[in-house]
Amino acid sequence: MSKYKSNRRVQIDDLQLPKYDDVDGDEGDDSRMRLKPSGSNVSEDQEPFMGIKVRRKASLHRDVKGDYIDVPSNPYLMKTLQKLGDNQILFADKVLKFTASGKMKRRILLITDFAVYIVDPETDALKRRIGLAAVENIFLSELSDNFFAVVIPTEYDMLMASTRKTEIVTVLAEATKSASNYELAVVFSNSFEYHAAAELVKEVQFEEVEAGVKTRILRK
């Protein structure tokens, strides 16, 4: 990985990330997730996300809606799901996805009982479909940011940001367990690596500052 070593950094202030007008629905039943605190004194039998995560006030006590973009009203999405044999929509919303080059792209994240879909909302193009069985774990920081990384060892990983991160993680964990009886690992760490492309590894670092959470993405 040394050939990718670089001092180039992308610095993102969490407070500058788009905040959706509809903030309802970031809370779910987290009791079935397997938590792996990293460098934390919190025991694994504590209530998920409590004590490990510094929760944003806006994410507490929310109702879960699931479909925030009204998928049935979108002919392209419905046709795509029907063509690929997916009928049950567990979650759908717009998120920010980070490309291998570090750019932020608005994407539709759609989770069904069989797969994860990434769709370009501007062109109605399916960018990626990942079977739930291919997802190995999810990385989160221990701070009050919007970032999460979905790890897919057989392909390449995805770094995304959403104000509904907790609901997304909960849905993915429960859907994976239902589909394959595999318990998805949710790993908390203020520094983690992910494969932005098949041969490109990046490190995400989180630091709590007075204004909020400072996030750095470094190329390894």
Side-chain angles (χ1 to χ4, degrees), residues 7-8 17 29 34 38-39 42 53 64-65 73-74 87 92 103-104 113 131 144 163 166-167 169 171 174 181 208 211:
N7 292 324
R8 186 178 66 177
L17 286 173
D29 179 9
R34 177 159 53 96
S38 175
V42 180
K53 290 290 292 181
V64 173
K65 183 177 179 181
S73 69
N74 187 313
N87 298 313
K103 295 180 180 179
M104 292 184 289
D113 51 342
S144 55
T163 56
T166 303
E167 183 179 349
V169 173
V171 169
E174 294 185 345
N181 202 30
E208 190 169 16

Side-chain angles (χ1 to χ4, degrees), residues 152-192:
I152 306 106
T154 56
E155 302 177 26
Y156 59 92
D157 308 329
M158 297 187 296
L159 179 65
M160 293 179 280
S162 170
T163 56
R164 298 190 173 96
K165 174 179 64 177
T166 303
E167 183 179 349
I168 292 170
V169 173
T170 303
V171 169
L172 273 174
E174 294 185 345
T176 301
K177 188 169 184 177
S178 297
S180 60
N181 202 30
Y182 169 73
E183 198 167 350
L184 187 67
V186 180
V187 183
F188 293 92
S189 176
N190 288 340
S191 177
F192 58 77

